Amino acid sequence: MKNLLKRKTSWFSSGSPWIWLNGGAVAICMLMVLGLLGLIAVRGFGHFWPADILQTPIVDRDGQRQIVMGEAVRDEIISAAVARDGGYTVAPDVELITRHLFKMGNRDVNGRDFAWFLDTGMEKWEYPKDAISIERREWGNFYGYPVAIKEQDNVVSELSSADFWQQLDQRLARALELHDKIHRIEKVDIGRINNQMDELRLERRRLELDGVTGTQLANADAELAERRAALEAEYDVIKKERDEILAQATRDKLMARTADGKEVVIAFDHIVRVTRPNDMGVFAKSGQYLERFWEFMTAEPREANTEGGIFPAIFGTLTMVIVMAIMVTPFGVLAAIYLREYAKQGTLLKIIRISVYNLAGVPSIVYGVFGLGFFVYTLGGNLDELFYAESLPSPTFGTPGLFWASLTLALLTLPIVIVSTEEGLSRIPSTIRQGSLALGATKAETLWKVVVPLATPAMMTGLILAIARAAGEVAPLMLVGVVKLAPALPVDGNYPYLHLDQKIMHLGFHIYDVGFQSPNVEAARPLVYATSLTLVLLIISLNITEIKIRNNLREKYRSASD
């Protein structure tokens, strides 16, 4: 017994229980993280799988029989008392009842996308082979049956025709191609002309502010009028081309019928895709899934951000993080080098270091308020008065934008870079410095050619932490440049190509907007999960890239540090 007690005491004193306890805690945390990511992935990316379309007769609370068609979203069990309070007739001996949430679509016909239906009064579910799902650019999805294809006002093919589905696919492909042409003309060609016309207006205003008068102003006006006339002539040609394409795009229409017999006419240029999920196999659905997922990652949002893609938000997040990293890295590294290598050690330096540590704990919304007041209104307003006076009273940099959002995040993450760089510099052995000085190098040469290169892995660690925090911030960005919808990217073919004054979209704010500000909660729910996972994967990708660079630098200078 004594030996057993002694063995237990020895085991506890060895520290093994704490090692096992820490290992178990880490394992549990990893399982929780992976479980959370798995839940988000299933709830989010499962949204893109083509769900079967069901049809079933239902007796509503008024005793009226109606036919419901749509996608089954989820089920839940409620008490019979809740159903009775809702006006439904439920047998007295029933305590629990199942209700189903259907995505009915046809918002322009029924006035609602989603609806709950009780199991009571519901007949067997059917899955008609000819049922189609039409994803539209407006009014959400349409569920029903195709009837005929019309060209102008003439019926060219009916459902009974042998080539109906082939005609539908061909005309839809044509409509999508024409829509892309129109979008390119409006966004690129007409956008370029509008930008040049605005430059002419600003140039004329600039002449007025410079006090140009008389013959010189008349000559400048004549030149500007000539350039404006050339742009207007080019615009007329492009607009004519656009109108011709638009007339072709609106030529074809699809006649469809709802489950209760109502007929609607949908123009092909309003259709994104037409699918028959009930008649598709696993491979066909997999192809459709990849197509929808690719559209989600590369397209622009539609329908109050509840449809379409998130590419502007992805691009805005990446651009903002890159600009932030370019600004925070040199300032953070230089500040850390000064504090560690040049500043005189003393009470003042201790106060500065404590202040830097405290800055890392300041709530991010405070940085947002500071960025709005100082960067946007003060610096931006002064920049407008000095360099963009011709644009006033319309602000250029005196309004929230990409540059101020990046600068605010740079200020937010600056303490992280400073502390990490200082820690890296402090770990460089003094013998390396002494050896460099003994060989005749100056202090500056020792610092920049020996010490700083050896500390680059620590600098990269600080940058990794800064990017991870900046990419997930939302609160300060709402004040300094991120908006609900900004489909125009901050990078385009117009000078200066990168528009730092432009507002952007951000994945974090997009999640907040879709999840809490959307008018269609059920339609937004899966997009919140999908966008959240996209943001997590984006941060992981950025971190992996930085870690790879850091490890390469660490291996490169390992021999020197040894």
Side-chain angles (χ1 to χ4, degrees):
M1 186 66 180
K2 290 182 178 181
N3 291 336
L4 180 61
L5 183 60
K6 184 178 180 180
R7 199 177 298 120
K8 287 184 178 180
T9 305
S10 173
W11 184 66
F12 274 102
S13 62
S14 67
S16 296
W18 314 117
I19 296 175
W20 282 100
L21 184 63
N22 288 334
V26 171
I28 292 174
C29 291
M30 291 296 296
L31 289 175
M32 293 174 65
V33 171
L34 293 176
L36 177 61
L37 293 178
L39 174 65
I40 295 175
V42 171
R43 294 280 183 88
F45 290 162
H47 167 70
F48 306 107
W49 184 262
D52 290 337
I53 302 174
L54 65 89
Q55 176 179 307
T56 179
I58 294 177
V59 178
D60 59 20
R61 69 187 73 186
D62 298 326
Q64 300 294 324
R65 189 175 185 271
Q66 59 175 316
I67 298 177
V68 174
M69 172 179 281
E71 299 177 8
V73 178
R74 66 177 183 272
D75 306 332
E76 66 178 33
I77 298 176
I78 61 174
S79 65
V82 173
R84 294 189 187 97
D85 292 340
Y88 290 94
T89 302
V90 182
D93 57 337
V94 175
E95 297 182 358
L96 299 176
I97 191 169
T98 303
R99 66 175 182 175
H100 308 274
L101 179 63
F102 290 166
K103 182 179 180 181
M104 302 170 58
N106 305 358
R107 194 190 316 154
D108 51 336
V109 179
N110 301 324
R112 55 180 179 173
D113 270 342
F114 295 83
W116 288 97
F117 296 97
L118 296 182
D119 218 4
T120 304
M122 184 180 298
E123 300 182 12
K124 183 180 179 181
W125 293 1
E126 299 177 352
Y127 298 89
K129 293 291 185 182
D130 290 337
I132 59 173
S133 170
I134 303 177
E135 186 174 341
R136 300 179 289 183
R137 303 188 189 280
E138 296 178 351
W139 297 107
N141 287 4
F142 175 87
Y143 299 105
Y145 300 96
V147 176
I149 298 174
K150 298 176 66 176
E151 183 176 319
Q152 301 296 353
D153 294 327
N154 302 319
V155 175
V156 295
S157 182
E158 296 182 344
L159 181 60
S160 57
S161 304
D163 64 341
F164 176 81
W165 295 108
Q166 181 181 359
Q167 285 265 9
L168 190 150
D169 293 338
Q170 291 177 353
R171 292 175 185 269
L172 179 57
R174 173 182 174 276
L176 292 175
E177 182 180 355
L178 294 176
H179 181 272
D180 290 340
K181 288 182 179 180
I182 295 173
H183 182 72
R184 181 185 61 80
I185 290 174
E186 293 177 343
K187 190 172 184 179
V188 179
D189 298 336
I190 296 181
R192 173 181 54 83
I193 293 177
N194 289 336
N195 183 71
Q196 293 178 358
M197 293 285 283
D198 192 56
E199 286 295 327
L200 293 179
R201 179 185 64 83
L202 295 178
E203 189 173 341
R204 178 64 175 79
R205 174 63 176 161
R206 199 175 297 120
L207 292 174
E208 293 180 358
L209 294 176
D210 292 341
V212 178
T213 58
T215 306
Q216 188 177 359
L217 180 60
N219 294 335
D221 283 340
E223 181 186 354
L224 292 176
E226 183 179 352
R227 291 162 58 186
R228 186 178 293 106
L231 289 175
E232 289 176 351
E234 185 179 359
Y235 174 78
D236 291 337
V237 173
I238 294 176
K239 184 176 182 299
K240 182 179 179 181
E241 178 185 358
R242 173 194 172 276
D243 292 342
E244 291 176 353
I245 297 175
L246 183 60
Q248 297 177 29
T250 56
R251 183 194 68 180
D252 299 330
K253 297 179 177 60
L254 175 63
M255 295 179 60
R257 175 175 52 83
T258 63
D260 54 2
K262 298 177 181 177
E263 286 195 357
V264 297
V265 178
I266 306 173
F268 271 86
D269 64 322
H270 291 169
I271 298 177
V272 177
R273 67 172 54 86
V274 179
T275 55
R276 292 183 291 165
N278 296 347
D279 197 35
M280 297 169 63
V282 175
F283 292 105
K285 288 188 175 183
S286 299
Q288 188 70 226
Y289 176 87
L290 294 176
E291 179 183 340
R292 292 184 177 184
F293 178 73
W294 177 252
E295 178 189 334
F296 175 73
M297 299 298 293
T298 59
E300 298 176 358
R302 307 188 310 269
E303 295 282 331
N305 292 340
T306 59
E307 300 285 348
I310 58 171
F311 180 73
I314 295 175
F315 194 89
T317 305
L318 279 174
T319 305
M320 185 195 64
V321 167
I322 292 172
V323 174
M324 181 274 301
I326 292 174
M327 290 190 291
V328 73
T329 303
F331 285 105
V333 170
L334 290 175
I337 291 174
Y338 175 78
L339 292 175
R340 174 58 58 178
E341 302 293 335
Y342 290 100
K344 183 179 179 181
Q345 304 297 320
T347 305
L348 180 61
L349 189 62
K350 291 181 180 179
I351 295 175
I352 293 175
R353 282 204 174 95
I354 292 174
S355 301
V356 171
Y357 297 152
N358 289 335
L359 282 176
V362 174
S364 60
I365 190 64
V366 176
Y367 286 95
V369 174
F370 175 80
L372 180 65
F374 181 71
F375 294 146
V376 178
Y377 294 150
T378 303
L379 291 184
N382 290 329
L383 285 176
D384 285 349
E385 292 180 1
L386 290 174
F387 303 105
Y388 302 97
E390 65 277 6
S391 299
L392 295 174
S394 297
T396 302
F397 279 96
T399 184
L402 169 61
F403 183 66
W404 302 130
S406 302
L407 193 57
T408 301
L409 288 184
L411 186 64
L412 174 69
T413 56
L414 184 62
I416 300 175
V417 178
I418 293 176
V419 171
S420 299
T421 304
E422 268 206 273
E423 291 296 327
L425 292 172
S426 65
R427 286 198 295 266
I428 306 300
S430 59
T431 54
I432 294 179
R433 292 181 172 85
Q434 295 169 3
S436 176
L437 295 173
L439 292 174
T442 64
K443 182 177 180 179
E445 290 174 337
T446 299
L447 177 64
W448 293 107
K449 295 184 178 181
V450 178
V451 177
V452 170
L454 293 176
T456 48
M459 299 176 190
M460 295 303 299
T461 300
L463 187 59
I464 291 170
L465 296 175
I467 288 176
R469 182 176 182 186
E473 284 293 344
V474 176
L477 300 180
M478 297 168 63
L479 303 176
V480 291
V482 172
V483 293
K484 171 187 176 73
L485 181 63
L489 301 180
V491 177
D492 58 24
N494 299 319
Y495 182 83
Y497 310 118
L498 176 60
H499 303 279
L500 295 176
D501 60 315
Q502 187 170 312
K503 294 176 175 59
I504 60 171
M505 296 182 67
H506 185 271
L507 285 172
F509 183 73
H510 187 76
I511 293 169
Y512 163 77
D513 176 70
V514 174
F516 298 97
Q517 304 294 320
S518 175
N520 195 339
V521 177
E522 293 296 341
R525 189 190 303 272
L527 297 184
V528 171
Y529 287 111
T531 308
S532 300
L533 186 59
T534 302
L535 177 58
V536 171
L537 294 178
L538 178 63
I539 295 174
I540 291 175
S541 301
L542 291 172
N543 287 347
I544 289 176
T545 303
E546 298 290 346
I547 290 171
K548 181 67 175 177
I549 297 173
R550 183 189 65 183
N551 291 341
N552 290 339
L553 292 173
R554 183 174 292 167
E555 291 297 326
K556 179 179 179 180
Y557 297 112
R558 182 182 296 276
S559 58
S561 61
D562 292 340

